[in-house]
Amino acid sequence: PVPPPAAAGAAAAPSGERIDRRVPMSRMRKRIAERLKDSQNTAAMLTTYNEIDMTNIIQARNLYKDEFLKKKGIKLGFMSMFVGAAAQGLVEQPIVNAVIDGDDIVYRDYVDVSVAVSSPTGLVVPVLRDVQNMGFADIEGSIAAYGEKAMAGQLAIEDMAGGTFTVSNGGVFGSMMSTPIINQPQAAILGMHATEMRPHVVNGEIKIRPIMYVALSYDHRIIDGREAVTFLKNIKLRVEDPVRMLFGL
């Protein structure tokens, strides 16, 4: 015999029912969570901010980007300019490039910059080695290669091991301002943000300029405020006047 039809709505979820779904964290996400929380628990973290007038560096990029691509085979972005400016600053102020090891401060005579890139499993930070010896094309090429490996899920542990300083660019997602978390055991991290047209005072007059806010989070146990502020200010000077980087100023 044919069973009687079910009562209307008996098998359906009640209208407006709210459901919780429990999904295990991936190994990558668990590791990221552990490292970020360890950093907050370990470092005496402080953040200093500044703003950068991007007018000159945008003009320089627009002027040379086509020739750069033709000759170097890689696109010229702003990331290489910020990483290069940071590398010069780290050589000048080695305490920002140093690390605490027990009761000692370990100074490094090389600059290995961790660069945050997106991957299907989350944010990863592969390391550019010996950036103090790299030009813009070398930096852009290395970042692009790591980006391709990250999207393909082919980054190896050794690609992300080490690093003496980190540069993170939340601006690609539209972030105006943030307080980046130090990538332990490093002592500092530079946060880049979105460039927006804003009123800006130039020679006593209000002009509309492309402005980027930048942030430097640092471990106050090892870096004093004077060193941190000076380091970030020098990055500002180099980016606002790119010619300074050519002369190592």
Side-chain angles (χ1 to χ4, degrees), residues 31-193:
R31 183 58 178 154
I32 291 173
E34 291 170 358
R35 287 183 60 85
L36 292 178
K37 192 56 185 173
D38 286 346
S39 180
Q40 287 187 321
N41 293 339
T42 301
M45 201 177 311
L46 190 63
T47 306
T48 185
Y49 301 92
N50 215 316
E51 62 179 13
I52 295 179
D53 182 347
M54 298 286 287
T55 299
N56 290 335
I57 204 164
I58 289 174
Q59 290 177 348
R61 178 179 179 271
N62 290 340
L63 181 62
Y64 295 109
K65 64 180 182 180
D66 293 336
E67 184 178 353
F68 187 90
L69 176 61
K70 182 178 180 180
K71 186 172 183 178
K72 304 293 186 179
I74 191 75
K75 291 183 178 179
L76 177 61
F78 296 121
M79 195 68 170
S80 58
M81 303 178 189
F82 276 86
V83 170
Q88 288 188 12
L90 293 167
V91 171
E92 291 176 355
Q93 292 182 265
I95 191 62
V96 185
N97 198 48
V99 64
I100 293 176
D101 184 13
D103 294 330
D104 299 325
I105 297 176
V106 180
Y107 292 89
R108 277 78 66 95
D109 60 359
Y110 53 88
V111 175
D112 291 351
V113 177
S114 303
V115 178
V117 298
S118 295
S119 77
T121 55
L123 201 65
V124 292
V125 280
V127 181
L128 308 178
R129 315 284 178 182
D130 292 318
V131 179
Q132 76 279 3
N133 298 326
M134 298 172 72
F136 290 162
D138 301 318
I139 296 172
E140 292 289 357
S142 297
I143 293 174
Y146 277 139
E148 292 175 0
K149 291 180 69 174
M151 294 306 296
Q154 297 176 345
L155 277 178
I157 296 297
E158 52 267 25
D159 292 331
M160 297 178 282
T164 64
F165 184 80
T166 296
V167 177
S168 177
N169 185 7
V172 298
F173 306 111
S175 173
M176 183 185 76
M177 181 75 77
S178 68
T179 303
I181 299 177
I182 298 169
N183 183 18
Q184 284 288 321
Q186 298 173 16
I189 176 173
L190 174 69
M192 300 167 56
H193 300 95

Side-chain angles (χ1 to χ4, degrees), residues 2-17:
V2 179
S15 177
E17 180 179 359

Side-chain angles (χ1 to χ4, degrees), residues 178-209:
S178 68
T179 303
I181 299 177
I182 298 169
N183 183 18
Q184 284 288 321
Q186 298 173 16
I189 176 173
L190 174 69
M192 300 167 56
H193 300 95
T195 299
E196 301 287 350
M197 301 302 291
R198 296 189 174 94
H200 190 66
V201 178
V202 181
N203 297 324
E205 297 182 355
I206 297 178
K207 304 286 187 179
I208 303 301
R209 291 294 182 91

